[in-house]
Amino acid sequence: MLPRSLSNFMNAFTSSDHTTYPFATTNRKDFKNLMSVYLDATLRPLLNENDFTQEGWRIGPENPLAVASSQADGNEESKLVFKGVVYNEMKGQVSDASYLYYIKFQDHIFPDINNSGGDPQKMTDLTYEDLKKFHSKNYHPSNAKLFTYGDMPLLDHLEEINHQLAQFEKARADKVIKMPIDLKDGPVYYTIKGPRDPMVDKEMQYKTSTSWIMGDTSDILETFSLGIMSSLLLDGYGSPLYQALIETGLGPDWSPNTGFDSAGKVGVFSVGLNGVRVEDVPKVKEAIQSKLREVHKNGFNESKVDGLLHQLELSLKHKTASFGMGLMQRVQPGWFNGVDPFDALAWNDIVTAFKQRFADKGYLEGLLEQYLLNDRTLMFTMAPSETYGEELGNEEAMRLASKLSEMAERAGGEAKAHEELASRELELLQAQEQASNQDLSCLPTVNVKDIPRQIEKKTTRDSSVGAVKVQWREASTNGLTYFRAINTLAGLPAELRMLIPLFTDSIMRLGTKDKTMEEVEDLIKLKTGGIRASYHASPSPMDMKTSTEGLSLSGYALDSNVPAMYELLCTVLQETNFDGPEAESKIRQLLQADASGALDTISSSGHSYARRYAEAGLTHHGLLNEQIGGLAQVQHTANLANRPTAEGLADIMEKLKTIQEFAITNSSGFRVALTCGQEATSTNEGALHNFLSKFPSFTNIPRGTSENSNGTLTKSTFFPFPYQVYYSAMALPTVSYVHPSGAPLQILSELLTHKHLHHEIREKGGAYGGGAYSRGLSGLFGYYSYRDPNPQNTIKIMLDAGRWARDREWSEQDLEEAKLSVFQNVDAPESVSEEGMTKFLSGINEKMEQTKREQILDVKKEEIRDVAQRYLVEGMKEFRLAVLGEKKSWVKEDEGWTIKSMELSKTSVTGGPINVDHADEH
């Protein structure tokens, strides 16, 4: 249904005790179509055996076509392996040490619930018959809950739901509610093995946490109160447990299970750390319990509670495009555990009741004493193993051998079993080929004619305050003002650019000479919905080869609190104290926290990192993105985090102070966007004038001695990582935003994704994801694969995709579906705070957007073939390719691969093995 819909969201979420199938659209016809298909597909799926073997698991030759044609290249292509889309997905998922820790923790504290994604080691025990029985038992209206939200008539929804559900007889629902283990005789201790992280100090590899069983989550007031208590204990640099655990150096970051989990019938509260030294593991639990006793004795601060309640108030006023999805996710867990969803949504009543209880002194302290001042705990630790990856491989090999032995016995010999498996694989390939061309006319669809030709206008106006240009968007904001600003940084040297992420973290960590960070955080919570500084870069819509960069500032607050928001922005930008006695140690903690989660972050979105690296070799904007948020930044952070303490960070501290000096100016290089109600415009203009008057009108950005000079990036780069699957991306340069070829390139990316790459890379190749993309503003076209077991085959598909698209006889229906797919994003709902931001951030004005809209709607088949030939076939000579995963024999430097190590640098310099530059950057 993806290319037959204008949906803004379609997916499925597996949880430990339920699965959710959500979709969202703003089109009434589309909503009816999707509801009918979703209900039919979930309650009455075909569930063919080929679907199970493709999506679940099977055994087959690595390259069945090569085996069938007797062209297999040695044993590698003919060897039998486990296959399956979800099997490969979960092999990738368990390569993420944070996920592995969390899911194994869940297995131990909640042994009766399901592993929501599936354990690859257990997945191969599932049979096709098991799957059908599971569906028959659980997927029935009597065991389901339905949720709708929006402004379309409820009666229409109910009529369609009734039509679908009336065909079923009432059945017995699964009312069993799973409970965690009993810790009344605690403490309980578990230690498991996990992978070593090559990006982190080898002495700081343990993860450990302590957990308590809490109260019944159907008590909504108590559950809300325990959530408040958890936030008071854990949130922010000034929180008691942060100061007791991270600030004291026991570990750089929270463990993945830290916090209050109220998703089950009974809540669980956990506190733990990543990056712990082996000798400090028992000290973590001791420090937690000691700090909890201290908090109980001293009590909770009323102003901190007020700050949290203020955040809640603003979150309810804040109009987001995903508000309905947020409601669903809020009510869903409790609904399956006996909580009335309308009770869970009665926020005003819950907050009022909480305030009344909290007014009775000692309420939260009483809950802390009841649930946490005891040793009825589970202490869960993951110890690093140098041989973890090897052991996983050995386990899979033994499991495969066992399955093959069983098959050989049934088939009458090993040779016959191999022959049978190869034959089945070819049959599946044939079925997949037929499925890619099947008639889908039975499925409902919306049409391009349903798409308005005119853009929905979000009127903005421009003014100025002195030299500063101001964009105004006046809209209904529930009494909130949204602020966004960009300070352009022309000529920023790479050595300072690479430190911008650390700078923006630092100003929210160090505090000032007069205020601790805890005091600043409290004021932020009491007066704003949050303030933020970050890096910004954008290509020119007129010329993809040029781009601008700068520091972005943002925040929002009640209209009456806007002056306070500006005061807080001034405080963190101008008064952050980089010379304080603890400044360097706090900077080191920030670096270690980022480094400790880097490998897992890459594992969860490796295709994005591959894409950034590939794009860095093509455009200036791509280079900037890589230096700020790519593998270059990861390596840079890891090297700094692991500098010897004796060497210090004095040079880094000086550079951070340099950035502070030019971070903000009252000049023409500074521009502001404000979104507010019309009634707040005048007061906002006065507050902005006062804000800007505090900044200098001129600052000087020092020139670096040189940019990173390591030559332009090579065509094909391989990054060895300890993952069981691969991530890859290939990028090509195309055209600027205003170029007429941009529209057919966008359509082409959707055609390739839905008509070719999804089929070849996911369905046949076994990767969890794969497709094409066209970045209209960046002027780049590319391909990617995600959790891919066979990157060599994927690369061949990418290299040939342009020729495939050029030679394909595209139908009008193909174009229709591709245009619908493009407009899912173009016409997606916007949060009120994002209205007008495309123009402000990138310079794309309303006229440009309208022209692009018309060009996309009018794309013809011959244009598709033309851009495929020009940019994907002829342009292939300029491709850049990056692949992340386990290095195997096919990755050879003499065959064009450059191999980049992502391990800790042997030296303490700020560069390291990954060094990115571009020929045009000087």
Side-chain angles (χ1 to χ4, degrees):
M1 284 297 291
L2 275 169
R4 304 174 73 85
S5 166
L6 286 167
S7 68
N8 314 119
F9 190 88
M10 259 199 263
N11 213 325
F13 300 146
T14 52
S15 301
S16 57
D17 60 354
H18 62 275
T19 300
T20 311
Y21 297 86
F23 66 87
T25 180
T26 58
N27 183 285
R28 186 171 297 190
K29 178 183 176 182
D30 198 27
F31 187 89
K32 183 177 180 180
N33 291 348
L34 289 169
M35 179 183 282
S36 68
V37 171
Y38 261 62
L39 286 168
D40 186 50
T42 52
L43 295 173
R44 289 183 293 271
L46 293 176
L47 281 187
N48 295 321
E49 188 164 7
N50 279 340
D51 298 330
F52 171 75
T53 54
Q54 172 185 292
E55 298 295 316
W57 76 275
R58 66 189 185 278
I59 297 173
E62 186 88 70
N63 189 340
L65 292 176
V67 174
S69 61
S70 303
Q71 294 178 354
D73 184 14
N75 295 327
E76 197 68 26
E77 292 184 314
S78 60
K79 75 173 184 179
L80 295 171
V81 295
F82 283 121
K83 294 184 166 187
V85 171
V86 177
Y87 184 79
N88 287 320
E89 178 207 1
M90 296 315 298
K91 281 180 68 176
Q93 189 74 65
V94 298
S95 295
D96 178 337
S98 292
Y99 173 84
L100 181 68
Y101 179 89
Y102 180 78
I103 208 70
K104 292 298 183 184
F105 163 76
Q106 288 284 75
D107 288 346
H108 284 79
I109 201 163
F110 258 112
D112 289 340
I113 62 174
N114 299 307
N115 178 321
S116 60
D119 184 343
Q121 296 182 355
K122 301 290 191 296
M123 205 178 291
T124 50
D125 293 333
L126 180 71
T127 67
Y128 175 51
E129 292 303 319
D130 291 336
L131 179 70
K132 291 196 296 183
K133 287 177 184 176
F134 180 86
H135 181 273
S136 177
K137 175 186 174 185
N138 295 293
Y139 279 64
H140 188 280
S142 298
N143 201 43
K145 302 189 185 297
L146 288 88
F147 175 100
T148 67
Y149 171 85
D151 61 358
M152 298 177 196
L154 176 62
L155 183 60
D156 293 350
H157 308 341
L158 295 178
E159 286 176 349
E160 176 62 29
I161 291 168
N162 182 62
H163 170 71
Q164 296 264 7
L165 304 193
Q167 303 170 47
F168 291 84
E169 298 292 329
K170 187 175 181 180
R172 179 179 295 178
D174 181 1
K175 299 290 187 183
V176 177
I177 293 177
K178 306 294 193 298
M179 300 292 284
I181 61 174
D182 192 342
L183 293 176
K184 66 181 180 183
D185 297 323
V188 176
Y189 298 88
Y190 289 109
T191 299
I192 64 165
K193 288 182 181 179
R196 188 184 75 83
D197 188 340
M199 302 298 294
V200 174
D201 187 325
K202 65 181 181 179
E203 301 299 326
M204 299 172 63
Q205 295 278 339
Y206 282 76
K207 300 179 191 290
T208 187
S209 65
T210 301
S211 302
W212 289 261
I213 305 298
M214 309 295 273
D216 189 327
T217 54
S218 62
D219 184 335
I220 295 173
L221 175 58
E222 183 179 271
T223 300
F224 176 83
S225 303
L226 290 172
I228 293 286
M229 184 180 77
S230 173
S231 295
L232 292 168
L233 291 170
L234 292 164
D235 289 359
Y237 298 118
S239 64
L241 288 173
Y242 183 94
Q243 292 181 340
L245 300 174
I246 297 177
E247 199 147 291
T248 57
L250 288 173
D253 196 15
W254 300 118
S255 63
N257 60 336
T258 293
F260 177 50
D261 182 356
S262 59
K265 176 63 175 173
V266 175
V268 176
F269 180 74
S270 304
V271 186
L273 295 174
N274 295 331
V276 180
R277 294 176 172 82
V278 61
E279 64 271 18
D280 288 341
V281 169
K283 296 177 185 176
V284 173
K285 180 179 178 181
E286 293 167 9
I288 294 168
Q289 293 181 313
S290 174
K291 180 54 70 171
L292 290 176
R293 288 191 293 269
E294 181 185 319
V295 171
H296 177 259
K297 178 182 177 183
N298 296 336
F300 289 101
N301 187 304
E302 186 174 348
S303 68
K304 292 182 184 294
V305 175
D306 290 340
L308 290 174
L309 295 178
H310 181 250
Q311 294 298 299
L312 175 61
E313 177 191 359
L314 293 191
S315 71
L316 295 175
K317 285 178 172 289
H318 179 43
K319 290 183 175 181
T320 65
S322 58
F323 186 77
M325 194 70 69
L327 283 184
M328 183 197 73
Q329 292 170 335
R330 183 179 294 169
V331 304
Q332 179 178 295
W335 200 2
F336 281 92
N337 289 306
V339 176
D340 185 321
F342 289 100
D343 291 342
L345 292 175
W347 277 107
N348 290 335
D349 295 342
I350 295 168
V351 172
T352 298
F354 170 78
K355 287 179 177 178
Q356 290 171 347
R357 288 286 185 91
F358 184 68
D360 298 332
K361 300 301 181 184
Y363 173 56
L364 290 180
E365 292 81 1
L367 291 176
L368 190 153
E369 180 177 7
Q370 178 182 349
Y371 289 115
L372 303 182
L373 294 191
N374 59 70
D375 206 12
R376 297 188 294 274
T377 58
L378 177 131
M379 185 173 171
F380 191 75
T381 302
M382 188 161 83
S385 169
E386 292 283 352
T387 59
Y388 183 79
E390 182 183 340
E391 290 170 19
L392 273 186
N394 291 339
E395 185 281 331
E396 185 179 53
M398 291 174 61
R399 182 161 33 92
L400 178 64
S402 175
K403 293 288 182 187
L404 290 173
S405 176
E406 293 172 12
M407 291 176 179
E409 192 173 327
R410 288 198 302 269
E414 186 176 320
K416 286 187 176 181
H418 280 233
E419 187 179 326
E420 187 178 311
L421 289 168
S423 176
R424 281 189 203 169
E425 191 73 9
L426 291 173
E427 287 172 12
L428 177 60
L429 283 173
Q430 187 176 9
Q432 290 168 331
E433 204 60 49
Q434 291 170 351
S436 69
N437 297 309
Q438 70 184 118
D439 180 11
L440 300 177
S441 59
C442 65
L443 291 174
T445 185
V446 290
N447 305 104
V448 171
K449 66 182 180 184
D450 297 322
I451 301 171
R453 195 164 179 85
Q454 292 294 315
I455 61 173
E456 182 183 356
K457 295 192 176 183
K458 305 285 178 65
T459 305
T460 62
R461 65 177 178 86
D462 297 321
S463 71
S464 60
V465 176
V468 174
K469 293 180 179 178
V470 184
Q471 175 185 292
W472 295 88
R473 167 65 181 155
E474 290 155 342
S476 174
T477 62
N478 283 336
L480 298 175
T481 291
Y482 298 93
F483 166 82
R484 185 82 67 96
I486 293 172
N487 188 34
T488 304
L489 303 176
L492 184 67
E495 61 183 296
L496 295 182
R497 178 184 305 118
M498 297 284 283
L499 289 171
I500 293 283
L502 180 60
F503 172 78
T504 57
D505 285 347
S506 301
I507 62 176
M508 303 303 291
R509 173 67 185 98
L510 298 185
T512 71
K513 290 180 179 178
D514 302 323
K515 292 185 180 73
T516 66
M517 197 62 225
E518 180 179 3
E519 292 170 326
V520 175
E521 282 180 332
D522 288 346
L523 287 170
I524 291 171
K525 289 176 182 175
L526 279 167
K527 298 296 183 180
T528 79
I531 58 174
R532 184 169 180 258
S534 61
Y535 176 81
H536 168 79
S538 176
S540 164
M542 310 301 292
D543 180 6
M544 58 178 268
K545 294 181 179 179
T546 65
S547 60
T548 57
E549 63 181 325
L551 193 68
S552 172
L553 309 175
S554 60
Y556 74 99
L558 292 169
D559 293 339
S560 59
N561 284 335
V562 168
M565 176 182 72
Y566 287 151
E567 187 65 33
L568 286 162
L569 280 165
C570 284
T571 298
V572 298
L573 284 166
Q574 293 189 310
E575 298 178 29
T576 293
N577 185 12
F578 288 97
D579 293 317
E582 297 179 349
E584 186 171 317
S585 66
K586 290 178 179 179
I587 294 294
R588 188 177 291 275
Q589 286 169 358
L590 287 174
L591 290 164
Q592 289 175 340
D594 284 344
S596 75
L599 193 69
D600 298 337
T601 302
I602 296 170
S603 171
S604 65
S605 53
H607 61 306
S608 297
Y609 281 91
R611 187 159 58 191
R612 284 191 203 100
Y613 194 85
E615 292 175 355
L618 297 174
T619 67
H620 183 250
H621 181 250
L623 169 68
L624 301 183
N625 278 341
E626 169 62 17
Q627 290 182 339
I628 287 293
L631 295 172
Q633 178 65 214
V634 171
Q635 183 75 75
H636 181 255
T637 300
N639 289 341
L640 290 179
N642 290 280
R643 267 195 192 183
T645 304
E647 190 174 332
L649 295 169
D651 59 325
I652 302 303
M653 304 303 290
E654 287 303 312
K655 289 175 182 176
L656 292 174
K657 287 193 288 184
T658 298
I659 295 171
Q660 186 180 32
E661 290 173 3
F662 60 73
I664 190 165
T665 59
N666 183 1
S667 70
S668 59
F670 192 76
R671 65 185 193 273
V672 172
L674 284 165
T675 301
C676 62
Q678 206 165 18
E679 70 283 356
T681 301
S682 178
T683 55
N684 272 328
E685 194 160 11
L688 179 62
H689 185 277
N690 291 337
F691 173 60
L692 294 173
S693 67
K694 299 177 181 179
F695 303 124
S697 58
F698 175 79
T699 57
N700 181 48
I701 299 176
R703 300 291 296 177
T705 52
S706 67
E707 295 289 356
N708 290 346
S709 53
N710 199 32
T712 55
L713 299 184
T714 53
K715 272 190 174 294
S716 302
T717 308
F718 189 91
F719 292 88
F721 279 97
Y723 303 147
Q724 298 182 66
V725 286
Y726 294 82
Y727 306 85
S728 58
M730 180 182 289
L732 301 159
T734 56
V735 295
S736 302
Y737 181 85
V738 296
H739 194 286
S741 292
L745 282 165
Q746 275 189 273
I747 297 297
L748 177 56
S749 70
E750 297 295 336
L751 288 168
L752 278 169
T753 296
H754 295 296
K755 301 298 181 183
H756 183 52
L757 299 175
H758 179 84
H759 174 62
E760 294 293 329
I761 296 174
R762 177 182 165 117
E763 293 177 352
K764 290 169 69 175
Y768 187 58
Y773 66 92
S774 178
R775 294 190 186 277
L777 183 58
S778 300
L780 295 166
F781 193 98
Y783 311 101
Y784 67 92
S785 73
Y786 178 72
R787 292 182 178 161
D788 186 351
N790 194 355
Q792 289 174 278
N793 183 58
T794 296
I795 293 167
K796 291 175 185 175
I797 293 165
M798 292 173 176
L799 288 168
D800 192 56
R803 281 186 289 272
W804 184 92
R806 178 198 62 193
D807 298 339
R808 167 92 171 189
E809 286 297 324
W810 298 107
S811 68
E812 290 299 329
Q813 182 62 31
D814 291 336
L815 255 65
E816 180 95 355
E817 293 180 358
K819 291 174 184 179
L820 290 173
S821 297
V822 168
F823 276 94
Q824 290 171 4
N825 292 319
V826 171
D827 286 350
E830 280 186 313
S831 301
V832 67
S833 58
E834 294 302 312
E835 293 174 357
M837 285 300 105
T838 300
K839 174 188 170 187
F840 179 72
L841 296 174
S842 64
I844 297 174
N845 60 35
E846 199 172 87
K847 184 179 179 182
M848 291 178 189
E849 284 193 279
Q850 180 62 40
T851 301
K852 177 72 76 175
R853 185 182 191 88
E854 293 172 7
Q855 289 172 340
I856 294 170
L857 288 169
D858 295 338
V859 167
K860 303 290 191 296
K861 289 183 284 187
E862 51 271 21
E863 293 179 90
I864 298 298
R865 287 191 286 270
D866 178 61
V867 295
Q869 171 64 24
R870 188 181 309 173
Y871 300 108
L872 307 193
V873 178
E874 296 171 15
M876 186 54 73
K877 59 182 179 292
E878 296 187 70
F879 82 85
R880 293 293 187 275
L881 171 68
V883 180
L884 283 58
E886 182 186 1
K887 183 180 177 298
K888 291 189 175 179
S889 58
W890 56 270
V891 183
K892 299 175 182 176
E893 290 182 305
D894 59 5
E895 293 185 9
W897 286 101
T898 298
I899 301 166
K900 295 271 191 179
S901 170
M902 283 290 291
E903 297 214 359
L904 295 181
S905 173
K906 297 288 192 296
T907 67
S908 60
V909 297
T910 60
I914 307 302
N915 200 4
V916 184
D917 92 307
H918 190 271
D920 296 337
E921 161 122 315
H922 287 290

